[in-house]
Amino acid sequence: GRDHIRWVALEYKQALVSSPTSYVMVNQAYLKKMNLANDIAAWVCWEFFLKEKEYTSCVVVLRRQYIPPLMDRVQDFAVVARCRTELFNSGKCTEEDLMHQAHLVADTLGPEAEHVSLYPSVVQAKLDALLYDEEAYAWMKTRLRMEPDGTTKLLMYGWIFVGGVSRILLSEGLLGHFELAHEAEKQVHRLSEREEQGLNELDPLYIATRVLACPAEG
């Protein structure tokens, strides 16, 4: 239930609610706008505005993930700006005031250490061993330009597997995207260091059971 920051924010909101007459006026994703420490980790945020009998609160829940140097740690934070509801109702404190205070703290939040680098050799080994989830692989490919590589050639054999399965589905008339088989063949050709005959003809069952079964041993 904590896979996404939205569900962490939901738990935090339930912990804050103290009366049945509570209103959630804002409940949405929030984009952190500053990176004062040049942090290479990813930040995902969610905010909600809660009005209760005694207090009115603006809360920004933040998740710092893919933390260097190993990119395998996660930290969750909560920023709370609160005022008494009677001040809110009288107009002495507005919704914009509370949200501005919460956003300012959330935007300037960051690690004390600046310019923290990663361990590329260790991260590459973890990538090759398939120790990250799909979201982490996509993020590292776009932000760090890193993907499975090395002697195991996991990415290449993965495309060979996709190409083999797509050819089977194509022969049975079950493939909805006909260009998938051609794309797999093109990717295998791009990833292979030299012209290796018959790579695209390898049995996908062999790839799954022999090559990709134990990637950490490659």
Side-chain angles (χ1 to χ4, degrees), residues 58-75:
C58 179
V59 181
V60 180
V61 182
L62 307 96
R63 168 166 292 178
R64 180 177 179 242
Q65 57 187 8
Y66 315 131
I67 299 175
L70 298 180
M71 322 303 289
D72 59 356
R73 292 291 182 266
V74 172
Q75 294 175 316

Side-chain angles (χ1 to χ4, degrees), residues 11-123:
E11 293 181 5
Y12 200 87
K13 178 180 64 178
Q14 292 173 341
L16 284 179
V17 171
S18 58
S19 66
T21 56
S22 301
Y23 303 92
V24 178
M25 304 172 66
V26 174
N27 187 37
Q28 61 189 12
Y30 177 72
L31 178 64
K32 189 175 185 296
K33 300 179 179 62
M34 298 183 189
N35 187 7
L36 302 180
N38 195 26
D39 185 22
I40 64 174
W43 289 83
V44 184
C45 312
W46 195 270
E47 67 173 341
F48 61 89
F49 195 92
L50 181 66
K51 184 177 181 181
E52 298 184 280
K53 183 177 180 180
E54 294 187 6
Y55 292 97
T56 298
S57 308
C58 179
V59 181
V60 180
V61 182
L62 307 96
R63 168 166 292 178
R64 180 177 179 242
Q65 57 187 8
Y66 315 131
I67 299 175
L70 298 180
M71 322 303 289
D72 59 356
R73 292 291 182 266
V74 172
Q75 294 175 316
D76 290 341
F77 310 88
V79 175
V80 182
R82 171 181 288 186
C83 75
R84 298 193 67 87
T85 300
E86 58 187 30
L87 296 176
F88 185 81
N89 292 335
S90 65
K92 295 181 179 180
C93 180
T94 65
E95 179 179 341
E96 289 75 18
D97 293 334
L98 281 180
M99 297 187 74
H100 175 73
Q101 291 295 325
H103 291 173
L104 180 61
V105 175
D107 289 341
T108 55
L109 188 64
E112 292 185 356
E114 297 184 5
H115 309 291
V116 178
S117 60
L118 69 157
Y119 299 156
S121 59
V122 179
V123 173

